[in-house]
């Protein structure tokens, strides 16, 4: 399990963007970085700095994944034939916590990780408590019946700030979801511009 050691909205402030598109993000109010020197941290970005920021933004968006785990996704993406950046996004979207978040079963990706870790999710009828579990196309993901009326779940379903993407079928009444296909980058509903090609360039240096 990845341990989140910092407040999630600090990631927004550090990136200078509202990466989850949430209305409570402090970036909406303060357009400078966190910390006492935040207002002075403005300089010309180098190629390395641009690539690093792109990597940190993608890592942060998916719940601040650990560097070790994120690098494994890169290695696997490079191993597969075709566009490595597309494979990277495909792997991240197939994470169980990402699917739970996309299906609007929980309000945030951090809540999704905790929800999975606490044993509220079943995949094809079997309980899975590993947030990084790779869901396959056609797998039936469901919330345990005893967990479907939790306040967290009901709150997420009512959120108007995001919609369930087309590549996921959801039945909120039954607490079930299914990934129908691996999405392309253009299909993933990021609130901000993501550049997985720069992530590949960063690790390929």
């Amino acid at each position: 399990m990845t341990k989140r050691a910092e407040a999630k909205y600090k990631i927004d402030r550090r990136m200078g963007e509202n990466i989850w598109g949430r209305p409570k993000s402090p970036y909406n109010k303060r357009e400078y970085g966190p910390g006492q020197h935040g207002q002075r941290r403005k300089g010309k970005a180098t190629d390395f700095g641009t690539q690093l920021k792109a990597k940190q933004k993608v890592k942060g968006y998916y719940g601040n994944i650990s560097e070790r785990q994120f690098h494994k996704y890169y290695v696997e993406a490079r191993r597969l034939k075709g566009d490595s950046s597309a494979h990277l996004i495909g792997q991240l979207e197939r994470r169980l916590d990402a699917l739970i978040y996309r299906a609007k079963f929980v309000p945030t990706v951090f809540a999704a990780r905790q929800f999975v870790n606490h044993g509220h999710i079943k995949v094809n009828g079997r309980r899975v408590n590993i947030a990084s579990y790779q869901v396959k196309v056609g797998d039936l993901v469901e919330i345990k019946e005893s967990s479907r009326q939790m306040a967290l779940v009901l709150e997420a379903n009512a959120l108007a700030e995001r919609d369930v993407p087309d590549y996921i079928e959801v039945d909120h009444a039954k607490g079930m979801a299914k990934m129908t296909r691996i999405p392309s980058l253009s299909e993933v509903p990021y609130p901000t511009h993501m550049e997985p090609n720069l992530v590949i360039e960063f690790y390929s240096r």
Side-chain angles (χ1 to χ4, degrees):
M1 175 176 136
T2 301
K3 195 171 183 181
R4 179 166 59 90
E6 60 184 322
K8 58 182 175 291
Y9 290 131
K10 280 188 178 179
I11 300 173
D12 275 359
R13 296 278 309 287
R14 192 170 66 243
M15 294 297 105
E17 296 179 56
N18 184 356
I19 66 173
W20 292 285
R22 303 214 72 196
K24 291 183 180 178
S25 173
Y27 177 70
N28 295 336
K29 299 175 183 177
R30 293 176 287 186
E31 297 185 5
Y32 52 87
Q36 63 178 347
H37 303 298
Q39 297 184 62
R40 288 187 283 170
R41 286 180 190 153
K42 287 189 178 179
K44 187 176 180 181
T46 61
D47 287 345
F48 173 81
T50 302
Q51 294 165 359
L52 176 62
K53 181 179 177 181
K55 184 199 72 158
Q56 298 293 64
K57 189 160 63 168
V58 175
K59 271 181 59 180
Y61 181 85
Y62 286 96
N64 219 9
I65 299 171
S66 72
E67 178 62 29
R68 182 177 180 181
Q69 191 172 54
F70 195 71
H71 186 262
K72 284 183 178 179
Y73 289 129
Y74 159 75
V75 172
E76 179 63 16
R78 286 301 301 266
R79 188 185 67 81
L80 299 171
K81 292 182 180 179
D83 185 351
S84 296
S85 59
H87 290 315
L88 176 65
I89 294 302
Q91 288 183 83
L92 293 168
E93 284 296 305
R94 284 175 54 208
R95 284 177 59 99
L96 182 56
D97 57 356
L99 188 143
I100 295 302
Y101 172 64
R102 291 279 182 236
K104 289 182 71 174
F105 288 159
V106 291
T108 70
V109 69
F110 297 102
R113 180 175 300 166
Q114 188 176 55
F115 200 68
V116 174
N117 288 338
H118 287 184
H120 297 295
I121 295 296
K122 292 194 289 186
V123 179
N124 297 329
R126 298 181 63 182
R127 187 170 72 93
V128 176
N129 60 1
I130 301 171
S132 60
Y133 177 88
Q134 290 281 286
V135 177
K136 298 182 181 68
V137 171
D139 279 353
L140 181 62
V141 177
E142 59 184 319
I143 304 174
K144 280 172 41 180
E145 189 172 355
S146 59
S147 305
R148 291 174 193 168
Q149 295 304 309
M150 290 177 63
L152 186 76
V153 177
L154 300 176
E155 174 199 342
N157 192 12
L159 282 176
E161 63 192 44
R162 60 189 175 90
D163 298 315
V164 177
D166 292 340
Y167 53 89
I168 296 176
E169 290 181 356
V170 181
D171 184 335
H172 283 110
K174 294 181 179 178
M176 296 180 177
K178 184 185 295 184
M179 179 174 278
T180 58
R181 65 181 183 279
I182 305 298
S184 63
L185 177 61
S186 60
E187 292 180 294
V188 181
Y190 294 121
T192 188
H193 183 53
M194 293 292 185
E195 299 171 293
N197 58 306
L198 295 182
V199 178
I200 300 299
E201 289 177 15
F202 175 86
Y203 284 120
S204 300
R205 287 176 296 112

